[in-house]
């Protein structure tokens, strides 16, 4: 009997007796059958703290109900068939929870503590009864979708994007005396404009030409390939981005000397006397969701597992942020059902509620949707709908926000974004890839937009307003989606990608995406840590 299966049952509060162990072991697919059986039992509404004993008789009834193997008993499995035990079992994992130090870049590694592997047998769980949260939602677009999807909305959407980002660019001293495009034909010397990139192309001599437009007109801007630094900068500029150009006019062409992105000023770091845990891409319901790894994470956050140092970190946790893809969803890609253990979206959220419901109630959990969740896919995505996720909504310590959203956690401004636009940037910009989400996050901050390219893989709702402009500078920028974690501090902003709890999928095999599953970033009193829960 694999330990994994024992723990699966134990985590759901079910003890499996010896004969039932043996019986499960003889089945073709014991792991999957165990998962379904657990769901079936848990779905009957047992109390979380009750311990149930699974006997071979109960197992037989379940197998018969599911048509898995012929058994003699005629009764259906009922909750009353399970024997209750008042004894509370302590589940102790044999595997150490370690703080990872083997990570990608050096800045990252410097911030990670030494590997420690100790097992804490005694629960230090001490619920803080009087804990107070200073939690505010600063920006949420859940109820702000007014779009009728017509062409007028498109125009208004782009105008809004342009004027919001222009307002940021106008404050740059280099662009103070910018001119509307229609006026530059009257000037001879230096030309300064602020416009949206309508398109760009390379000339046959290898120069780059941008078509830039504002509300008054449009103009071609040439970037000479011998101006190496400028040419390099021009390579990261994308369609629909709003930029400033300083150059000289030659007839109907502006020769660019400088490209100015709105960028972000350096921010001062705020003190933090608590911890925030960042996760995303849990993909509950998928065959590749790593339930055991997730349960180990839950035990740590509940202060029941880890070295003394790790438990001290857990004690400081006040917020758990989830940046989308909580569940694997239904029909997200062709033939997805073959890769699902739970094929119903409501049941996926019920399972999510069971798993997240094990987390201590004095931690506030903030959930934003991702492209696998049951929210509309066009961004900004409204919060996970209650209609499908009622079970999660019933958890008292969970808050739901849109994607993207800005929340204030004790005054720490946190921008949460799933990260779908990373696909567009990784596909279209030289030097950007899923592996380097820190560079993509820096680029989004520089562009002051969550999903700058319109009409690529990221579906954007053409709202009357563009809610994806990054107007406020966050203290933390939390993303997911790429399933590969990263951390970098840029101009004082903590940029965090939280990885996943899903092992490599068939799709990711094709694209050679190697996920960093079970590695969880934490800001412990302002200091970054990466906690490793995976076993390998
Ligand atoms: O995304 C899981 C992973 O797959 C993540 O690394 C992004 C990548 N991905 C997803 N969709 C695409 C497209 N359309 N192009 C390129 N790469 C993609 P998930 O959202 O969990 O399915
Ligand atoms: Fe995902
Ligand atoms: Zn995703």
């Amino acid at each position: 009997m694999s330990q994994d299966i024992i723990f699966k049952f134990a985590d759901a509060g079910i003890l499996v007796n010896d004969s039932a162990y043996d019986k499960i072991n003889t089945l073709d697919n014991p792991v999957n059958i165990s998962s379904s059986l657990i769901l079936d039992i848990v779905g009957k509404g047992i109390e979380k703290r009750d311990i149930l004993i699974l006997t071979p008789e109960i197992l037989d009834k379940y197998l018969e109900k599911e048509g898995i193997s012929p058994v003699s008993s005629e009764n259906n499995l009922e909750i009353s068939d399970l024997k209750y035990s008042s004894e509370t079992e302590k589940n102790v994992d044999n595997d150490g929870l370690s703080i990872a130090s083997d990570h990608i870049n050096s800045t990252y590694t410097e911030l990670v503590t030494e590997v420690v592997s100790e097992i804490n047998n005694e629960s230090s769980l001490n619920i803080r009864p009087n804990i107070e949260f200073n939690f505010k939602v600063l920006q949420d677009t859940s109820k702000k979708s007014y779009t009728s999807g017509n062409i007028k909305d498109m125009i208004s959407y782009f105008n809004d994007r342009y004027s919001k980002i222009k307002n940021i660019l106008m404050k740059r001293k280099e662009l103070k005396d910018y001119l509307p495009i229609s006026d530059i034909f009257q000037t001879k010397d230096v030309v300064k404009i602020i416009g949206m990139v309508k398109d760009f192309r390379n000339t046959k001599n290898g120069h780059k030409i941008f078509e830039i437009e504002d509300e008054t007109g449009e103009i071609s801007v040439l970037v000479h390939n011998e101006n190496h630094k400028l040419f390099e900068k021009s390579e990261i500029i994308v369609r629909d981005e709003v930029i400033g150009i300083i150059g000289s006019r030659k007839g109907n062409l502006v020769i660019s000397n400088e490209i100015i992105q709105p960028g972000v000023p350096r921010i001062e770091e705020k003190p933090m006397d608590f911890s925030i845990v960042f996760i995303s891409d849990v993909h509950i319901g998928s065959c590749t969701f790593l339930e055991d790894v997730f349960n180990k994470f839950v035990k740590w956050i509940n202060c029941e597992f880890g070295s003394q140092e790790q438990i001290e970190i857990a004690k400081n946790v006040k917020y758990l942020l989830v940046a989308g893809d909580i569940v694997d969803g239904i029909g997200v890609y062709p033939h997805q059902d073959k890769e699902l253990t739970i094929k119903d979206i409501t049941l996926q959220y019920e399972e999510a509620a069971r798993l997240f419901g094990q987390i201590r109630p004095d931690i506030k959990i903030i959930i934003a949707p991702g492209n696998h969740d049951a929210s509309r896919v066009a961004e900004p995505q409204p919060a996970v709908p209650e209609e499908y996720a009622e079970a999660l909504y019933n958890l008292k310590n969970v808050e739901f926000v849109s994607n993207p959203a800005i929340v204030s956690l004790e005054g720490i401004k946190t921008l949460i974004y799933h990260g779908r636009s990373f696909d567009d940037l990784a596909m279209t910009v030289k030097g950007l890839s899923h592996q380097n989400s820190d560079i993509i996050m820096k680029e989004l901050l520089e562009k002051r937009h969550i999903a700058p390219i319109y009409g690529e893989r990221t579906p954007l709702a053409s709202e009357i307003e563009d809610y994806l402009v990054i107007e406020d500078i966050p203290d933390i920028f939390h993303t997911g989606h790429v399933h590969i974690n990263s951390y970098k501090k840029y101009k004082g902003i903590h940029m965090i990608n939280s990885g996943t709890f899903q092992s490599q999928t068939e799709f990711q095999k094709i694209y050679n995406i190697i996920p960093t599953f079970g590695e969880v970033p934490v800001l412990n009193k302002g200091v970054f840590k990466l906690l490793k829960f995976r076993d390998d």
Side-chain angles (χ1 to χ4, degrees):
M1 181 74 180
S2 105
Q3 275 204 340
D4 288 353
I5 294 178
I6 302 172
F7 285 132
K8 246 183 208 299
F9 279 100
D11 279 324
I14 303 163
L15 297 179
V16 186
N17 85 5
D18 287 349
S19 326
Y21 280 174
D22 296 342
K23 209 158 205 149
I24 292 178
N25 254 340
T26 61
L27 299 168
D28 270 354
N29 197 344
V31 178
N32 279 357
I33 291 173
S34 302
S35 299
S36 320
L37 175 55
I38 290 166
L39 267 182
D40 195 88
I41 296 172
V42 173
K44 289 176 193 299
I46 57 165
E47 283 296 311
K48 221 175 113 196
R49 292 286 160 205
D50 287 328
I51 297 290
L52 308 170
I53 298 170
L54 179 69
T55 60
E57 294 76 35
I58 295 165
L59 179 64
D60 282 348
K61 285 177 197 169
Y62 175 74
L63 295 176
E64 184 190 33
K65 183 163 79 97
E66 293 301 311
I68 297 169
S69 78
V71 279
S72 54
S73 174
E74 280 165 21
N75 299 328
N76 285 329
L77 175 69
E78 290 296 343
I79 202 69
S80 55
D81 288 326
L82 297 161
K83 292 173 193 152
Y84 283 73
S85 155
S86 57
E87 221 180 294
T88 314
E89 275 269 309
K90 215 166 255 148
N91 305 319
V92 183
D93 252 275
N94 291 326
D95 304 301
L97 153 67
S98 57
I99 297 182
S101 60
D102 53 345
H103 231 279
I104 13 179
N105 58 47
S106 61
T107 343
Y108 206 34
T109 315
E110 281 159 23
L111 291 159
V112 169
T113 13
E114 285 302 302
V115 173
V116 186
S117 297
E118 286 170 34
I119 298 155
N120 185 55
N121 290 344
E122 278 173 45
S123 167
S124 321
L125 181 57
N126 187 7
I127 308 284
R128 298 156 291 188
N130 299 318
I131 191 163
E132 281 184 17
F133 294 98
N134 182 5
F135 168 77
K136 288 191 198 94
V137 179
L138 302 179
Q139 195 183 308
D140 185 296
T141 55
S142 297
K143 294 176 187 74
K144 285 189 184 159
S145 182
Y146 306 118
T147 183
S148 54
N150 68 31
I151 192 80
K152 271 205 203 122
D153 292 344
M154 280 280 273
I155 294 165
S156 142
Y157 172 84
F158 278 110
N159 282 343
D160 188 60
R161 174 189 293 211
Y162 175 71
S163 73
K164 276 181 177 161
I165 301 179
K166 184 177 90 171
N167 282 340
I168 302 168
L169 279 162
M170 276 164 60
K171 294 192 183 96
R172 300 280 305 246
K173 62 178 185 316
E174 312 94 297
L175 290 169
K176 276 229 153 71
D177 45 352
Y178 84 96
L179 285 177
I181 289 175
S182 61
D183 289 1
I184 63 168
F185 299 96
Q186 277 110 56
T187 58
K188 284 218 171 97
D189 345 309
V190 181
V191 167
K192 295 183 180 185
I193 53 172
I194 298 175
M196 187 180 279
V197 177
K198 194 177 166 193
D199 215 345
F200 58 83
R201 62 181 191 278
N202 287 323
T203 68
K204 57 177 186 299
N205 297 325
H207 309 303
K208 200 168 257 241
I209 290 190
F210 288 96
E211 302 297 338
I212 304 287
E213 65 178 335
D214 70 5
E215 64 272 66
T216 67
E218 56 179 272
I219 183 102
S220 301
V221 174
L222 180 111
V223 179
H224 204 287
N225 64 4
E226 275 170 22
N227 193 344
H228 297 296
K229 232 173 152 193
L230 186 70
F231 196 82
E232 199 178 303
K233 174 131 197 190
S234 77
E235 300 263 65
I236 51 164
I237 303 297
V238 297
R239 194 161 42 74
D240 306 325
E241 183 172 350
V242 180
I243 51 172
I245 298 277
I246 302 180
S248 50
R249 187 175 60 81
K250 291 242 158 42
N252 285 338
L253 192 70
V254 169
I255 315 295
S256 175
N257 296 323
E258 226 176 303
I259 298 173
I260 298 168
Q261 289 179 293
V264 284
R266 176 164 292 282
I267 59 159
E268 205 150 302
E269 210 173 315
K270 294 180 188 146
M272 241 180 102
D273 66 354
F274 60 99
S275 299
I276 309 171
V277 176
F278 303 86
I279 62 168
S280 62
D281 300 276
V282 191
H283 288 270
I284 293 162
S286 158
C287 305
T288 39
F289 162 54
L290 298 162
E291 188 176 339
D292 296 343
V293 180
F294 188 83
N295 281 331
K296 205 191 263 187
F297 160 70
V298 171
K299 277 188 206 150
W300 164 74
I301 212 167
N302 285 346
C303 307
E304 291 165 352
F305 182 64
S307 68
Q308 209 47 51
E309 187 201 349
Q310 292 154 348
I311 288 186
E312 284 311 311
I313 299 173
K315 282 181 185 167
N316 297 331
V317 176
K318 228 171 154 178
Y319 296 97
L320 167 63
L321 304 190
V322 191
D325 287 358
I326 299 110
V327 297
D328 204 54
I330 306 283
V332 180
Y333 55 85
H335 309 297
Q336 186 190 11
D337 54 327
K338 292 195 183 72
E339 296 182 38
L340 291 176
T341 49
I342 308 171
K343 298 182 203 302
D344 177 288
I345 189 79
T346 307
L347 292 179
Q348 288 182 2
Y349 283 113
E350 275 179 21
E351 177 65 352
R354 186 184 71 76
L355 291 163
F356 280 88
Q358 296 168 2
I359 293 172
R360 46 202 288 211
D362 58 341
I363 290 177
K364 200 175 266 305
I365 304 172
I366 297 142
I367 298 180
N371 52 306
H372 283 253
D373 285 292
S375 188
R376 103 175 161 191
V377 288
E379 294 177 7
Q381 279 188 288
V384 172
E386 191 170 356
E387 184 191 350
Y388 299 109
E390 202 187 335
L392 260 182
Y393 273 77
N394 286 339
L395 300 179
K396 298 223 162 31
N397 55 337
V398 177
E399 306 274 349
F400 297 87
V401 293
S402 61
N403 169 43
I406 304 175
V407 293
S408 168
L409 313 173
E410 316 294 316
I412 307 286
K413 213 183 271 183
T414 306
L415 169 59
I416 309 167
Y417 174 55
H418 179 60
R420 186 86 193 268
S421 72
F422 294 4
D423 296 340
D424 300 339
L425 288 149
M427 296 287 169
T428 51
V429 180
K430 212 158 88 183
L432 298 185
S433 70
H434 285 104
Q435 278 73 20
N436 302 322
S437 60
D438 50 347
I439 305 177
I440 302 185
M441 282 190 268
K442 168 186 168 268
E443 250 335 291
L444 297 182
L445 289 171
E446 283 295 307
K447 296 178 193 313
R448 295 292 282 266
H449 203 280
I450 286 290
I453 316 174
Y454 192 91
E456 285 291 323
R457 287 154 198 264
T458 309
L460 300 183
S462 49
E463 311 273 7
I464 294 158
E465 216 187 307
D466 186 350
Y467 298 108
L468 303 180
V469 175
I470 305 172
E471 289 184 277
D472 283 341
I473 317 280
D475 300 301
I476 299 170
F477 185 15
H478 173 207
T479 61
H481 185 58
V482 294
H483 294 209
I484 302 168
N485 58 29
S486 69
Y487 173 76
K488 208 155 244 161
K489 210 159 166 192
Y490 180 62
K491 305 250 182 104
I493 304 164
H494 297 279
M495 303 189 304
I496 298 170
N497 189 292
S498 45
T500 183
F501 279 95
Q502 187 180 37
S503 61
Q504 195 182 39
T505 63
E506 290 306 312
F507 176 86
Q508 290 163 356
K509 271 181 206 158
I510 298 166
Y511 284 89
N512 200 23
I513 294 168
I514 317 237
T516 57
F517 51 80
E519 299 183 1
V520 177
V522 181
L523 265 189
N524 180 41
K525 299 187 172 179
V527 179
F528 177 81
K529 304 264 178 200
L530 189 73
L531 299 181
K532 202 171 169 182
F533 298 91
R534 55 196 286 180
D535 297 330
D536 55 353

